[in-house]
Amino acid sequence: MLVITCPNCGDRPELEFRCGGEAHIARPQTPAELDDGQWGAFLFTRTNPKGVHAERWIHQHGCGRWFNALRDTVSDRLIATYPMGTPRPDAGAGAAPSSPASPTSQP
Amino acid sequence: MRRFSLTTLVKQAMNAHAGWERQWRNPEPKASYDAVIVGGGGHGLATAYYLAKEHGLTNVAVLERGWIGGGNTGRNTTIVRSNYLYDESAGLYEHAMKLWEGLSQDLNYNVMFSQRGVLMLAHNVHDVQSFKRHIYANRLNGVDNEWLSAEECKAFCPPLTLDPNIRYPVMGGALQRRGGTARHDAVAWGYARGADARGVDIIQNCEVLGLKRNRDGSVAGVETSRGFIGAKRVGVVAAGHTSVVMNRFGLRMPLESFPLQALVSEPVKPVFPCVVMSNAVHAYISQSDKGELVIGAGTDQYVSYSQQGGIHITNHTLDAICELFPQFTRMRMLRSWGGIVDVTPDRSPIIGKTEVSGLYVNCGWGTGGFKATPGSGHVFAHTIATGEPHKINAPFALDRFRTGRLIDEAAAAAVAH
C-alpha cells in the first residue's frame, strides 16, 4: 500500500485515496469541431508510461480534494504532489513518454 | 521434433530419462523474416504456431525480452471459460474453448486442460438477474452455461458455505461445465515446441527497441538489443508492455497497465473440485494439480509496471475466500505475485491492424487473457498472414475507439475476467 502525501492533510495511507487516472488531459474547448479520431484520442488514448507518470488523485476519505501527483510507475515511488491546474513540476525535464530506445530503468 | 508417445516414454524410462532432447532451439536471429512476433508469451507463441501450421508461414521469429512464458502467461490463475455476454466476445472466447478442447492432441503436448467446471456465484438479486441474462445469451450463442440453486452449488462444490448469516450469502450460481483450468507453463512450452518444429525461431533475451519503416511508410523491420532484424510484417503481442513497445514505434494506445495479483497456498490433498468465482465479493479460487489453492485478487487502482501490488488488495480477496470457504481460514499462503495487465477502456481486447502498413497488434486482454490463448493466436495469425482480420476478431479492431463501436463487456456485466 502506498503512503500518499496529500497537499492538505500530509502523509496518509492509500486506502483514503482514489486514483483518477492520467492528469493534464484538457477537455477540448470546441468539441463540435473535432473529428472522430481526435475525440477518440481525447477519450481513450493514454500515455501509460513506464517511468514518471502524472496522475490525479482525490483524498476521498480526508479533505475530499483533488490534486496531482508524479509517480514512478516502475518503483511506485511518489515523487511529488502538486495542486490541480498547475503544470507538472518536472515539465521540460524530459517528462512524458520515454523516447525510443531509451533504457527502461528496472526489469 | 520427437513426438511424445507411450513408446518414447518407455524407451526413455529404460534409459534413465537421459536421452530427452531440447524441445526448442536457441537460434541466433537471422537478418530478416517474413514475420516477426514481438512478445513470447502464450499469445505470441500461439500466433507463431498457427502462422506456421495454418498459413505455411515458417520464416517467422518470436522476439522475447526475457524468457518465454515469463510474463502473464506464467502468472495467471489458469482459468478457462467462454461464457461472455456479448456476441462478439462469446464468438472469440468460444473459438478459444473449442481449440482448448483439442489442444493437447494438436500440440502433442499435455497442457493438462481440465474441464472441471467454472461456477460464478450470485450474492444478490442483481447478480441473479444478470447471471440468468448471461445464461440465456450464452445459450443463443451455443455456449454452455446453466443456473444452479444455492443447494446445487453446494453439491457441486462441497467446501462452499451456505450460511445465511455471512455478509453476502450465496443465492445461486452460473456454471459452465466445459470451463476449467490448464497448465499455463505447458501452454507456452507446447506452442513453443510446435512452432520451433515448424521452423519458427524463438529468440529470447531480445528486447525490441524501435521500428524501421520503408519510404512508403510500411514496416521494414525492428531494432532490437541484438541488432536490426528485417521483417515484412510485425505483430506486437506484449501484454502489459504493449504501450511501451508501441510508444517506441511512435504510436499511442488506448491502454493502461495495472498490477494484478495472485497467490497460492501451501499444497494440500484434493479438496476443491472446480473453479469458483465471485464477482460481488471479488474472489476466485481453484486447486492446482500440485495441491495448492490458486487464488486471484484484483488490480491496483493506479498504473504500474512494478509486478507487485498492494497488500490490501490480496487481503480483501482472502477475506472473501475465508467467508465463502470457512475451512480454509487456517491455510497458509506460500507465495503471492503480480503481473502487469493492459486494460482497454471497454475491457475487451484489441486484435488487428494499425495505422502502419504491416504492423499488427494483439493486446488489451486485461485481467483475462489466458483463457483466450489458442483463439487469440489463431485469429491473430490469420490477420497477419492475410492482412485482414478473421471474422471473429474483426469487431475487436483498434479502430473501434474512433468509431465508438465498443464491446463493453465490463459495463454490461461487471464481469471479472
Side-chain angles (χ1 to χ4, degrees):
Chain A
M1 189 185 305
L2 306 180
V3 174
I4 296 173
T5 310
C6 170
N8 308 303
C9 312
D11 289 351
R12 296 296 180 92
E14 181 198 332
L15 278 179
E16 296 184 8
F17 298 83
R18 293 300 299 168
C19 185
E22 185 170 349
H24 306 299
I25 299 175
R27 187 181 173 85
Q29 295 287 339
T30 50
E33 290 167 21
L34 264 54
D35 64 26
D36 289 350
Q38 292 167 318
W39 188 246
F42 160 67
L43 285 179
F44 301 126
T45 305
R46 295 294 178 263
T47 308
N48 196 23
K50 185 173 184 174
V52 179
H53 187 36
E55 59 197 5
R56 305 180 304 167
W57 288 84
I58 182 170
H59 194 184
Q60 186 92 45
H61 305 290
C63 62
R65 288 204 244 169
W66 285 95
F67 60 93
N68 287 336
L70 285 185
R71 189 174 50 82
D72 185 333
T73 61
V74 178
S75 64
D76 288 339
R77 190 173 66 86
L78 259 109
I79 298 162
T81 53
Y82 55 102
M84 303 292 287
T86 56
R88 43 188 293 176
D90 65 344
S98 55
S99 56
S102 72
T104 42
S105 33
Q106 290 170 27
Chain B
M1 177 180 89
R2 185 185 297 170
R3 283 185 64 80
F4 295 137
S5 67
L6 183 61
T7 325
T8 53
L9 185 63
V10 170
K11 271 189 196 158
Q12 290 298 331
M14 298 205 288
N15 187 24
H17 292 288
W20 293 112
E21 61 200 32
R22 278 186 167 277
Q23 294 183 33
W24 53 86
R25 297 163 295 129
N26 187 24
E28 284 300 309
K30 289 192 245 173
S32 73
Y33 292 92
D34 290 337
V36 160
I37 306 299
V38 181
H43 290 234
L45 293 164
T47 305
Y49 173 77
Y50 291 115
L51 274 175
K53 176 168 179 268
E54 307 266 321
H55 304 281
L57 214 58
T58 56
N59 187 24
V60 173
V62 177
L63 308 182
E64 166 55 46
R65 182 179 63 131
W67 62 96
I68 60 167
N72 295 346
T73 300
R75 292 165 185 267
N76 65 81
T77 50
T78 78
I79 297 168
V80 175
R81 64 184 180 89
S82 63
N83 49 354
Y84 280 66
L85 178 63
Y86 288 127
D87 295 351
E88 296 90 343
S89 317
L92 180 60
Y93 291 98
E94 181 61 16
H95 181 56
M97 179 67 88
K98 290 195 174 119
L99 289 168
W100 277 115
E101 287 172 332
L103 193 60
S104 291
Q105 289 73 23
D106 183 34
L107 293 175
N108 179 234
Y109 201 97
N110 187 3
V111 299
M112 296 165 74
F113 182 47
S114 160
Q115 292 178 295
R116 57 186 70 178
V118 175
L119 178 62
M120 297 176 84
L121 297 177
H123 301 272
N124 51 53
V125 174
H126 173 78
D127 276 356
V128 173
Q129 292 171 343
S130 160
F131 287 7
K132 287 187 173 171
R133 181 185 173 209
H134 266 70
I135 288 167
Y136 296 132
N138 290 153
R139 285 187 185 168
L140 288 173
N141 279 315
V143 177
D144 73 305
N145 200 4
E146 64 191 88
W147 177 255
L148 300 190
S149 68
E151 290 71 27
E152 288 168 330
C153 289
K154 171 79 178 169
F156 189 74
C157 181
L160 183 66
T161 180
L162 295 187
D163 185 346
N165 294 319
I166 63 174
R167 179 69 181 85
Y168 298 103
V170 175
M171 294 178 69
L175 172 65
Q176 184 175 27
R177 291 187 191 272
R178 287 161 69 234
T181 59
R183 172 91 169 93
H184 50 5
D185 295 326
V187 175
W189 299 334
Y191 274 123
R193 173 171 170 266
D196 178 85
R198 287 169 173 81
V200 172
D201 283 356
I202 295 164
I203 299 162
Q204 305 182 75
N205 299 308
C206 180
E207 182 172 4
V208 171
L209 303 171
L211 184 73
K212 195 169 170 195
R213 292 163 71 167
N214 294 315
R215 198 160 287 168
D216 65 357
S218 62
V219 164
V222 288
E223 299 286 354
T224 77
S225 56
R226 294 172 69 169
F228 175 76
I229 299 174
K232 295 192 188 80
R233 283 163 277 198
V234 172
V236 176
V237 202
H241 279 73
T242 301
S243 287
V244 175
V245 173
M246 295 300 266
N247 185 32
R248 290 173 181 174
F249 292 0
L251 298 173
R252 284 166 60 84
M253 297 293 290
L255 293 172
E256 288 192 299
S257 298
F258 300 98
L260 177 69
Q261 293 182 81
L263 56 166
V264 293
S265 73
E266 58 191 329
V268 290
K269 287 186 177 178
V271 62
F272 204 81
C274 58
V275 180
V276 171
M277 310 175 56
S278 169
N279 298 345
V281 298
H282 207 284
Y284 40 112
I285 179 169
S286 63
Q287 187 174 21
S288 74
D289 292 337
K290 278 191 289 185
E292 302 156 328
L293 297 178
V294 182
I295 295 168
T299 55
D300 282 278
Q301 55 172 329
Y302 47 80
V303 167
S304 175
Y305 291 83
S306 64
Q307 290 193 330
Q308 57 185 12
I311 194 167
H312 57 294
I313 305 283
T314 44
N315 273 351
H316 176 66
T317 290
L318 290 174
D319 286 347
I321 295 288
C322 290
E323 186 159 276
L324 289 174
F325 309 102
Q327 73 188 74
F328 296 150
T329 48
R330 297 182 67 190
M331 294 278 284
R332 282 164 293 197
M333 293 297 135
L334 278 194
R335 304 188 305 279
S336 73
W337 62 90
I340 302 304
V341 299
D342 46 328
V343 175
T344 58
D346 61 359
R347 302 298 190 271
S348 290
I350 297 166
I351 320 164
K353 300 193 273 190
T354 66
E355 64 192 63
V356 178
S357 171
L359 179 64
Y360 304 87
V361 69
N362 182 351
C363 63
W365 290 93
T367 57
F370 176 73
K371 67 172 78 67
T373 305
S376 160
H378 192 263
V379 297
F380 194 45
H382 177 98
T383 308
I384 293 174
T386 65
E388 290 299 325
H390 191 283
K391 68 177 191 309
I392 290 175
N393 69 310
F396 295 90
L398 179 56
D399 197 42
R400 73 179 186 272
F401 299 103
R402 183 183 64 78
T403 63
R405 180 72 179 83
L406 305 182
I407 303 165
D408 211 351
E409 280 288 339
V415 68
H417 290 290

